[in-house]
Amino acid sequence: MTDIRIGLGTDLHRLGEGLPLFIGGVFVPHYKGCIGHSDGDALIHAVCDALLGAAGMRDIGYHFPDTSDENKGRKSSEFLLGVVQMLKEAGYEIVNIDCTVHLQKPKLRDLIPEIVANMSRLMQLEEGRFSLKAKTGERIGAVGNEEAIEVVCAALIEKIF
Ligand code: MG
């Protein structure tokens, strides 16, 4: 018997000048980066929420509160490792994860293979089980005006009895 579950995760961070920009644990050279309590990695935060949602385990803010000093400036990859471990302990395996990053600049096209490789390595996923797509904000709204990065993510997990 198999128990298959789907989860949805989203995240949005404001961008500020002179801050580092991390996407999926990869440093992206840019004049703006994420404003956040941790390192502001919106892709990892959205993936964590999708995985937690699929497992019925609340959300990233519940497990890693942004009011805690322990999480200040913390690398988001540590949150992801924690979430993967929680799923594992509950008997779930990740089937696949599909994400879209909405960012006006810079273009992520050339960095996607590196981000996919890093995310797959963190979650110990086989090739092809983590997918990343990138879109601009069509020069309108918070994303289009280079004020924010937004990520949408779907995750499928399964438990085999
Ligand atoms: Mg976040």
Side-chain angles (χ1 to χ4, degrees):
M1 225 191 96
T2 311
D3 181 10
I4 297 177
R5 288 158 181 252
I6 190 168
L8 171 72
T10 69
D11 199 29
L12 179 140
H13 278 263
R14 280 187 297 137
L15 297 172
E17 281 188 37
L19 294 169
L21 178 60
F22 289 101
I23 300 178
V26 172
F27 174 72
V28 178
H30 193 47
Y31 77 104
K32 276 184 168 180
C34 280
I35 298 169
H37 187 71
S38 63
D39 64 4
D41 196 318
L43 175 58
I44 291 187
H45 297 174
V47 169
C48 285
D49 264 358
L51 291 172
L52 290 168
M57 294 179 177
R58 310 271 313 243
D59 57 41
I60 188 171
Y62 176 78
H63 296 285
F64 307 102
D66 65 2
T67 47
S68 152
D69 274 351
E70 192 193 345
N71 298 323
K72 198 166 185 218
R74 199 163 161 196
K75 274 176 76 174
S76 294
S77 55
E78 293 176 21
F79 303 150
L80 183 57
L81 293 176
V83 167
V84 169
Q85 186 59 34
M86 285 167 59
L87 260 69
K88 205 173 167 184
E89 281 166 14
Y92 288 109
E93 275 191 31
I94 298 166
V95 178
N96 76 305
I97 296 173
D98 184 30
C99 308
T100 300
V101 174
H102 298 265
L103 183 66
Q104 188 64 40
K105 277 183 187 172
K107 281 260 190 286
L108 295 179
R109 181 194 308 247
D110 295 340
L111 282 167
I112 283 180
E114 188 182 344
I115 297 170
V116 168
N118 194 53
M119 290 296 285
S120 302
R121 180 186 60 83
L122 287 169
M123 292 181 282
Q124 299 185 318
L125 287 179
E126 299 161 11
E127 205 185 315
R129 290 190 185 266
F130 183 83
S131 150
L132 180 63
K133 309 179 300 294
K135 291 182 112 68
T136 70
E138 290 289 327
R139 302 219 151 274
I140 56 164
V143 170
N145 288 316
E146 299 179 48
E147 291 165 352
I149 178 172
E150 193 165 14
V151 181
V152 181
C153 171
L156 198 70
I157 62 173
E158 70 175 342
K159 192 192 280 194
I160 298 167
F161 299 96

